[in-house]
Amino acid sequence: MTILDLCTRLEATGVATAIAESDWMFPTIETVHVLALTLVIGSIAMLDLRLLGVSSRNLRVMQLSDETLPWTWMAFVVAAITGTLMFVSAATKYYGNVPFRIKMVLLVLAGLNMAVFHLGAWKAVHHWNTALPTPRAARVAGGLSLLFWIAVVVAGRWVGFVSQGGF
């Protein structure tokens, strides 16, 4: 079975058909997706900007992380669920959509950046929790995170304006 075959099967499910045939379901799901993504990116940006030394300079990095990350993860779960629902409603269309593929790659890169940060610089956060500037690795991770998440938004907006398979 190819990926396109899987997309065809997903698109034929009852949930996907209900979303695709409804006048209100897709726009409602998309609205929730955008709101959740706004919270994801806003909360991530707060921590990234602190890592870069641009904002929240008076807050400890760990304090800011403890306050924002629960919101980030909750909103990310909502965004992932709503994104999946939108995808299944037109899976074959999205499969061939280059900006959609770019968005998925960017999400993976954002996740990898986060993993590298947490497996690296974050392990020593107790030593630089209040430091300004933060270690170079933390600043690089924060900058890349902002770049990847802004690019996710750009690619996500681009998805709806591109026909299948083209730019």
Side-chain angles (χ1 to χ4, degrees), residues 55-159:
S55 70
S56 303
R57 297 167 61 95
N58 59 330
L59 293 177
R60 292 176 293 115
V61 172
M62 291 177 66
Q63 175 189 356
L64 187 58
S65 175
D66 290 345
E67 291 175 3
T68 59
L69 288 184
W71 292 98
T72 304
W73 283 110
M74 179 183 59
F76 183 81
V77 167
V78 172
I81 291 168
T82 54
T84 300
L85 289 171
M86 289 189 301
F87 174 78
V88 300
S89 74
T92 56
K93 180 181 117 188
Y94 289 121
Y95 172 75
N97 186 291
V98 173
F100 176 79
R101 290 180 177 199
I102 292 169
K103 179 181 177 180
M104 294 301 104
V105 169
L106 289 164
L107 284 169
V108 169
L109 290 174
L112 288 173
N113 180 60
M114 178 187 66
V116 169
F117 172 66
H118 281 276
L119 293 172
W122 185 259
K123 285 189 173 189
V125 70
H126 294 292
H127 299 293
W128 53 267
N129 190 29
T130 59
L132 284 168
T134 58
R136 181 184 168 119
R139 292 192 312 270
V140 168
L144 285 173
S145 176
L146 284 173
L147 177 71
F148 289 141
W149 284 105
I150 290 167
V152 164
V153 170
V154 170
R157 290 298 304 138
W158 191 11
V159 167

Side-chain angles (χ1 to χ4, degrees), residues 16-32:
T17 302
I19 294 167
E21 291 178 355
S22 172
D23 289 337
W24 63 269
M25 285 181 77
F26 189 93
T28 302
I29 293 166
E30 185 176 31
T31 299
V32 173

